[in-house]
Amino acid sequence: MASITRRAARECALKALYSFGFHTEADPTMHFALVCAEGEIPTNDFAATLFCGTVEHLSEIDEKIKEHAKGWALERISRMSLSILRLCAYELMYTNVPKPVALNEAVELAKAYDTDEAPGFINGILNSVSKSLGETSK
């Protein structure tokens, strides 16, 4: 596995999650390896853990997003925004990554890979998710 930054690992996991949205019947571990190899995307264990953990807990993550995406059905959210929401919600719900770090990384991913409106939309939902988990985010 490559030596890459945590941000690059999140980008790798995001790309695999986005692709997985079109191939949900695929084996997650094999899908992740295939996406990274075919896209020549540098990866590491952190990226693999983010992707596989998100896929493993997808139903719980989607329920939490639905709970906080007031007025938005998941089907109405763009696939990229939904992938970013899922990735960050996984970090908020299942890892010890500091909540402000996870939120900031999600906004940065949205700025790089989504529309101009996406960072604010994503930040609003994820702040609500974060607060519901018992810790205030900044």
Side-chain angles (χ1 to χ4, degrees), residues 43-99:
T43 187
N44 63 11
D45 290 339
F46 180 62
T49 299
L50 287 175
F51 172 77
C52 291
T54 302
V55 171
E56 179 181 342
H57 296 284
L58 203 53
S59 61
E60 298 98 356
I61 290 167
D62 282 354
E63 281 305 312
K64 187 59 87 171
I65 292 169
K66 281 184 209 174
E67 182 182 326
H68 296 278
K70 305 286 188 226
W72 286 85
L74 292 185
E75 299 76 29
R76 287 189 55 218
I77 299 173
S78 77
R79 287 186 188 249
M80 183 54 72
S81 290
L82 186 56
S83 297
I84 294 168
L85 287 166
R86 286 171 167 168
L87 180 63
C88 184
Y90 170 76
E91 285 195 85
L92 292 170
M93 295 166 66
Y94 298 102
T95 73
N96 61 0
V97 171
K99 290 180 179 4

Side-chain angles (χ1 to χ4, degrees), residues 27-42:
D27 173 80
T29 305
M30 291 177 60
H31 180 80
F32 180 78
L34 182 65
V35 167
C36 294
E38 286 188 357
E40 298 179 4
I41 304 167

Side-chain angles (χ1 to χ4, degrees), residues 94-126:
Y94 298 102
T95 73
N96 61 0
V97 171
K99 290 180 179 4
V101 172
L103 293 167
N104 182 64
E105 290 295 324
V107 169
E108 292 302 317
L109 287 170
K111 287 177 183 176
Y113 292 99
D114 214 334
T115 65
D116 290 343
E117 297 80 26
F121 174 74
I122 287 169
N123 188 51
I125 294 171
L126 292 174

